[in-house]
């Protein structure tokens, strides 16, 4: 497919010429439809709605792994690394936006295709599909584990429903995920505009903040009561193995801010295209605050007992009044958060799958039959994966950090180094080389960690 250039003003203004499009464009005429050169009056997305949608794209299951990175790095280097990666993410998104403006392109695939042709576009879309399918399967697995329990390890961890009502057929994993899929995911994934999800995204961000507030409250109460101590500020380096352990957390932090696949979709629905940069900064600032607070208070609360998924720590006695109630509140709120994150990530997945399968067809939002077929097929695949893949770890091994870091850093850096329009500065190119080196090193660390866990008895990772 040749990359189709589009005049940005024709999409940002109140009217859109529908025939000038690239297959992955998701603009505001989706739910009204158009034909030929007809002009359609549109309502643009709000600043706040765009911030919540982008923030929801960022804050997913990865937040639960951040407190464990503090156990390895210590609080000071850990917090600094979270903030550094946020700045690096802003720089990579800025590179994409500037390349989009220079080439008058309105999709991530269009930008990469403009620089590297159809092969580059297909490779990017494949990475988005692999990453997002894996992420959504992980979300479903977590929902099943929390609500119905899990026996993927040697010990059985009771789910919330099992703890409240006992073991019944309707509290089993398959039935709970089926009801969640039909009752929550199916309706929310039927929206054709990402801005239609702004209210659910706002609720999702609020639930993530609620998790931080509860965790902080418990940690402060226990700190005042003297039952917890101030956590380690810097890492303990005693051997070469401990030095290596420091690098095993890099993939977790590097992939914490991946949201690039939804930036153009959100941008296309704005009235004012100049708002996208402050929207990105606001979202990254909000998410960084949530990340730092979660890391600090999660590590403060559980110390060296912090698990790779800190949500699992809320399966034990907190040692305070109403501890059982707070455990359930934390887990339920986070499960609902993931349910509301699901459609945002799914939105980009559907667009990219459609771009791979039907590269020359009209936009999927204008073809109801294709829209329904692709949506139903993807939901069925994700539902099957969540029921047959035994654990989050296996799902992460399947997708890995490779696709995520390629989306977030390798492709933006490669486009900048290609510099089709002569807009890249010397600093841009130096930063691009650094991003690629960081991404490759991150992948190498992730691959080594997986191999280590497979070939050493007990299946423990170097971080264990």
């Amino acid at each position: 497919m040749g990359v189709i250039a589009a005049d940005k003003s024709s999409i940002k203004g109140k009217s859109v010429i529908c025939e000038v499009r690239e297959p992955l464009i998701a603009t505001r005429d989706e739910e009204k439809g158009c034909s030929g050169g007809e002009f359609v009056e549109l309502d643009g997305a709000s600043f706040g709605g765009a911030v919540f949608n982008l923030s929801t794209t960022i804050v997913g299951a990865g937040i639960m792994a951040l407190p464990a990175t503090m156990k390895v790095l210590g609080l000071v280097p850990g917090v600094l690394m979270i903030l550094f990666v946020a700045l690096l993410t802003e720089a990579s998104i800025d590179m994409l936006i500037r390349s989009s403006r220079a080439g008058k392109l309105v999709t991530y695939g269009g930008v990469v295709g403009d620089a590297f042709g159809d092969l580059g576009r297909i490779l990017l879309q494949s990475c988005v599909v692999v990453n997002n399918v894996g992420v959504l399967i992980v979300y479903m697995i977590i929902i099943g584990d929390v609500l119905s329990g899990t026996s993927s390890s040697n010990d059985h961890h009771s789910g919330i429903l099992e703890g409240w009502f006992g073991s019944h057929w309707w509290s089993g994993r398959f039935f709970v995920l089926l009801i969640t899929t039909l009752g929550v995911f199916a309706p929310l994934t039927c929206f054709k505009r990402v801005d239609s999800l702004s209210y659910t995204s706002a609720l999702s961000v609020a639930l993530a903040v609620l998790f931080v507030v509860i965790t902080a409250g418990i940690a402060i109460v226990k700190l005042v009561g003297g039952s917890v101590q101030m956590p380690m500020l810097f890492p303990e380096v005693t051997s070469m193995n401990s030095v290596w352990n420091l690098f095993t957390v890099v993939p977790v932090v590097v992939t914490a801010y991946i949201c690039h696949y939804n930036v153009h979709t959100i941008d296309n629905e704005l009235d004012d295209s100049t708002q996208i940069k402050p929207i990105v900064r606001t979202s990254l600032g909000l998410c960084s605050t949530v990340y730092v607070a979660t890391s600090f208070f999660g590590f403060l609360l559980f110390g060296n007992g912090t698990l790779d998924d800190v949500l699992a720590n809320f399966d034990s006695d907190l040692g305070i009044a109403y501890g059982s109630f707070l455990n359930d509140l934390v887990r339920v709120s986070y499960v609902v958060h993931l349910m509301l994150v699901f459609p945002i990530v799914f939105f980009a997945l559907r667009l990219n799958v459609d771009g791979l399968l039907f590269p020359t067809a009209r936009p999927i939002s204008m073809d109801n039959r294709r829209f329904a077929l692709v949506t139903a097929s993807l939901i069925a695949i994700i539902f099957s994966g969540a029921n047959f893949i035994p654990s989050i770890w296996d799902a992460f091994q399947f997708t890995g950090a490779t696709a995520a870091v390629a989306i977030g850093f390798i492709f933006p850096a490669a486009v900048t180094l290609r510099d089709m329009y002569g807009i890249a500065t010397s600093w841009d190119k130096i930063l691009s080389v650094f991003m690629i080196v960081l991404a490759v090193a991150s992948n190498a660390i992730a691959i080594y960690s997986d191999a280590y866990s497979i070939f050493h008895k007990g299946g423990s990772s170097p971080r264990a």
Side-chain angles (χ1 to χ4, degrees), residues 378-429:
L378 288 174
I379 288 180
I381 290 171
I382 294 166
F383 176 80
S384 299
N387 278 281
F388 290 103
I389 295 176
S391 70
I392 296 175
W393 177 246
D394 293 323
F396 272 131
Q397 281 185 319
F398 171 71
T399 58
T402 305
V405 296
I407 295 166
F409 299 105
I410 292 179
F411 281 110
V415 168
T416 300
L417 292 174
R418 181 77 167 171
D419 197 16
M420 296 287 290
Y421 302 98
I423 60 173
T425 64
S426 298
W427 171 247
D428 289 334
K429 294 183 179 180

Side-chain angles (χ1 to χ4, degrees), residues 29 35 44 108 110 118 168 197 235 286 327 333 406 420 425-426 461-462:
D29 66 326
S35 60
Y108 194 170
D118 281 352
H168 302 282
L197 298 168
L286 174 61
N327 275 336
S333 64
M420 296 287 290
T425 64
S426 298
S461 66

Side-chain angles (χ1 to χ4, degrees), residues 165-446:
F165 306 108
S167 180
H168 302 282
W169 65 269
W170 47 264
S171 63
R173 183 187 195 88
F174 179 86
F175 185 77
V176 167
L177 288 183
L178 179 63
I179 293 300
T180 302
T181 300
L182 297 178
V184 181
F185 296 151
L188 291 179
T189 54
C190 287
F191 289 110
K192 295 183 178 181
R193 288 179 55 198
V194 71
D195 187 55
S196 301
L197 298 168
S198 59
Y199 291 109
T200 58
S201 293
L203 178 58
S204 173
V205 173
L207 289 170
V209 173
L210 176 64
F211 171 81
V212 174
V213 170
I214 294 174
T215 304
I218 296 171
I220 292 171
V221 168
K222 297 191 71 172
L223 181 64
V224 172
S227 56
V228 297
Q229 299 177 345
M230 283 301 294
M232 176 180 66
L233 297 180
F234 294 92
E236 297 179 358
V237 179
T238 57
S239 64
M240 284 303 298
N241 186 54
S242 61
V243 172
W244 171 250
N245 283 345
L246 300 179
F247 291 95
T248 60
V249 303
V250 172
V252 175
V253 182
V254 167
T255 59
Y257 290 96
I258 301 301
C259 61
H260 303 61
Y261 50 78
N262 262 343
V263 171
H264 286 85
T265 305
I266 292 170
D267 183 24
N268 291 339
E269 295 184 4
L270 295 171
D271 273 330
D272 183 2
S273 62
T274 62
Q275 287 187 320
I276 189 61
K277 289 187 178 182
I279 284 170
V280 169
R281 293 193 187 100
T282 304
S283 297
L284 290 175
L286 174 61
C287 294
S288 296
T289 302
V290 172
Y291 281 173
V292 170
T294 300
S295 303
F296 176 80
F297 288 110
F299 185 40
L300 175 64
L301 181 58
F302 299 111
N304 289 331
T306 305
L307 299 175
D308 284 352
D309 178 3
V310 74
L311 194 65
N313 285 106
F314 288 93
D315 191 29
S316 57
D317 182 12
L318 295 176
I320 62 173
Y322 305 106
S324 178
F325 169 76
L326 291 174
N327 275 336
D328 288 346
L329 181 60
V330 164
R331 291 190 290 171
V332 169
S333 64
Y334 191 69
V335 162
V336 177
H337 164 75
L338 289 183
M339 290 179 181
L340 300 179
V341 173
F342 189 99
I344 288 288
V345 179
F346 187 90
F347 196 97
L349 171 63
R350 177 173 52 213
L351 287 177
N352 283 274
V353 167
D354 184 70
L356 285 171
L357 298 179
F358 310 102
T360 60
R362 61 178 179 167
I364 187 173
S365 58
M366 298 173 62
D367 187 333
N368 290 335
R369 181 176 297 179
R370 197 167 91 243
F371 183 91
L373 177 62
V374 173
T375 300
S377 299
L378 288 174
I379 288 180
I381 290 171
I382 294 166
F383 176 80
S384 299
N387 278 281
F388 290 103
I389 295 176
S391 70
I392 296 175
W393 177 246
D394 293 323
F396 272 131
Q397 281 185 319
F398 171 71
T399 58
T402 305
V405 296
I407 295 166
F409 299 105
I410 292 179
F411 281 110
V415 168
T416 300
L417 292 174
R418 181 77 167 171
D419 197 16
M420 296 287 290
Y421 302 98
I423 60 173
T425 64
S426 298
W427 171 247
D428 289 334
K429 294 183 179 180
I430 292 172
L431 191 60
S432 296
V433 172
F434 175 77
M435 286 181 183
I436 292 175
V437 171
L438 178 64
V440 172
S442 174
N443 287 337
I445 291 167

